[in-house]
Amino acid sequence: MSSPRATEPTLSQGFPGMRRRHESLEADFATPASVASTPSPTPDGTDDLDDPVVSSNVHLPTAIATQLAEARTERRLTNGEFIIWAIEATLDDLNEFIHPGGVVGGRLFKARGVGSTSPAKIPTTPVAYSLRASDFDVLDELKKSFAARSRSQLITAALTAHFQPETEKD
């Protein structure tokens, strides 16, 4: 471990009469004791502080992003809620959409999709979404179990499966 530089003690002490940024925020936005002592549990019984909301984004094919925006408005769901709903609704068929050419490996070798890269570049649109931290753990587990390249591939596959025309689903 390196020794501290000469300026570090001065910076950590700050200037007389000035509060550090986090001290200022704590003082300015302190929660009254009566509110702080009664945390609001979430429906699954966990505390919001134990499972915070985390924002992320996914680059979806533009056609899927447009369909998501329309469907989200109709169902009155957030992007994150719609993503969860789509994954749960299409879970049984998800592997076909993640790996349309099938999967090789899985026992001795790491499973991988056959021909799962698209030959042409498809225009994408970034879409922001928010989920609880525990939801990202579930996404990561699904990513592993389906041998998806990324969360984006998993989410895109679920939304593609969901928005597939009814005639193609049969």
Side-chain angles (χ1 to χ4, degrees), residues 12-168:
S12 66
Q13 293 170 358
F15 295 104
M18 272 185 98
R19 295 183 288 184
R20 286 191 213 128
R21 173 178 263 172
H22 72 278
E23 290 171 342
S24 175
L25 290 174
E26 288 172 1
D28 294 340
F29 297 104
T31 306
S34 61
V35 175
S37 63
T38 56
S40 59
T42 56
D44 63 355
T46 59
D47 187 359
D48 285 344
L49 296 176
D50 294 335
D51 198 12
V53 174
V54 179
S55 297
S56 187
N57 64 51
V58 59
H59 289 265
L60 297 174
T62 303
I64 298 292
T66 302
Q67 288 176 306
L68 172 62
E70 291 168 3
R72 183 178 53 85
T73 302
E74 287 174 17
R75 292 193 180 264
R76 295 184 173 196
L77 298 172
T78 66
N79 285 336
E81 291 166 342
F82 199 93
I83 288 169
I84 289 172
W85 183 80
I87 289 173
E88 289 192 353
T90 61
L91 192 61
D92 294 336
D93 301 321
L94 209 47
N95 200 42
E96 298 170 27
F97 287 90
I98 293 174
H99 306 293
V103 178
V104 65
R107 289 184 63 203
L108 300 174
F109 300 92
K110 184 178 177 181
R112 63 201 75 198
V114 176
S116 60
T117 57
S118 61
K121 180 72 175 158
I122 298 171
T124 61
T125 302
V127 175
Y129 65 99
S130 298
L131 297 173
R132 297 216 170 266
S134 61
D135 295 335
F136 282 100
D137 294 338
V138 173
L139 283 178
D140 290 339
E141 285 301 313
L142 288 171
K143 180 179 130 331
K144 277 188 215 174
S145 67
F146 283 107
R149 289 186 310 271
S150 63
R151 289 178 188 158
S152 292
Q153 185 187 25
L154 178 77
I155 291 169
T156 300
L159 293 172
T160 301
H162 173 71
F163 291 128
Q164 180 184 27
E166 291 296 321
T167 56
E168 292 182 29

